[in-house]
Amino acid sequence: RFLVMWRTRSDSGCAKALACGSFGLNLVLGRMLPLEVLRPRHMQVDEWEHLFLESQPQVGNIPQPDLPFELQKVIHHALLRATNSSTEELRQASLLTVDRLRAALRLARP
C-alpha cells in the first residue's frame, strides 16, 4: 500500500502498474513464477536479477519456482487475465515496481 500511495496521486495508470508489478513480483517471491517471465525485453538477465535483488534485500537469492512448468504457465496466464495486462505491460509494470522499491529503500536508509 505504501508503494502505491508514494507518488502516485496524480497518475492512476502508475498506481495500476505498481499494483500489477507487485502482484507479479509476489508470485515470484512465493515461488509460483520464475522471475524471467517479468523481465523487460530490453534488459539482460543478470541486470534484471541484480535490480530485483536490490529491491528485495531480504531475499538473498533469486527464488526458483516450486511448481511444475505447466502450472507456472497457467499461473502466468491467470496473472495476465487478472491484471488485464499484456505480457509487455506486465514486464514494464514489474520494472516500475522494482525501481520504486529500490528508491524507497534508499530513502529509508539512514
Side-chain angles (χ1 to χ4, degrees):
R1 180 175 171 193
F2 166 75
L3 185 62
V4 173
M5 293 177 62
W6 181 62
R7 297 196 189 191
T8 60
R9 294 177 189 226
S10 63
D11 185 358
S12 62
C14 183
K16 179 188 177 205
L18 289 171
C20 293
S22 294
F23 191 4
L25 291 169
N26 277 293
L27 290 172
V28 170
L29 291 168
R31 299 182 180 275
M32 300 174 86
L33 283 179
L35 181 61
E36 175 64 20
V37 300
L38 302 178
R39 179 177 60 85
R41 291 199 187 277
H42 70 278
M43 297 186 87
Q44 297 296 318
V45 172
D46 58 338
E47 179 184 14
W48 176 235
E49 289 178 350
H50 178 75
L51 292 177
F52 172 79
L53 289 173
E54 283 185 342
S55 76
Q56 304 291 329
Q58 76 283 3
V59 174
N61 295 310
I62 302 298
Q64 299 303 315
D66 289 334
L67 302 175
F69 180 72
E70 288 302 315
L71 189 50
Q72 293 173 39
K73 287 181 6 183
V74 169
I75 290 171
H76 182 239
H77 181 71
L79 173 62
L80 294 173
R81 292 196 57 178
T83 60
N84 194 29
S85 301
S86 68
T87 298
E88 189 56 34
E89 288 169 331
L90 186 59
R91 289 174 179 202
Q92 291 305 311
S94 299
L95 177 58
L96 174 67
T97 305
V98 163
D99 284 343
R100 291 285 174 96
L101 285 167
R102 290 172 60 237
L105 287 168
R106 281 193 302 272
L107 288 175
R109 291 187 184 124

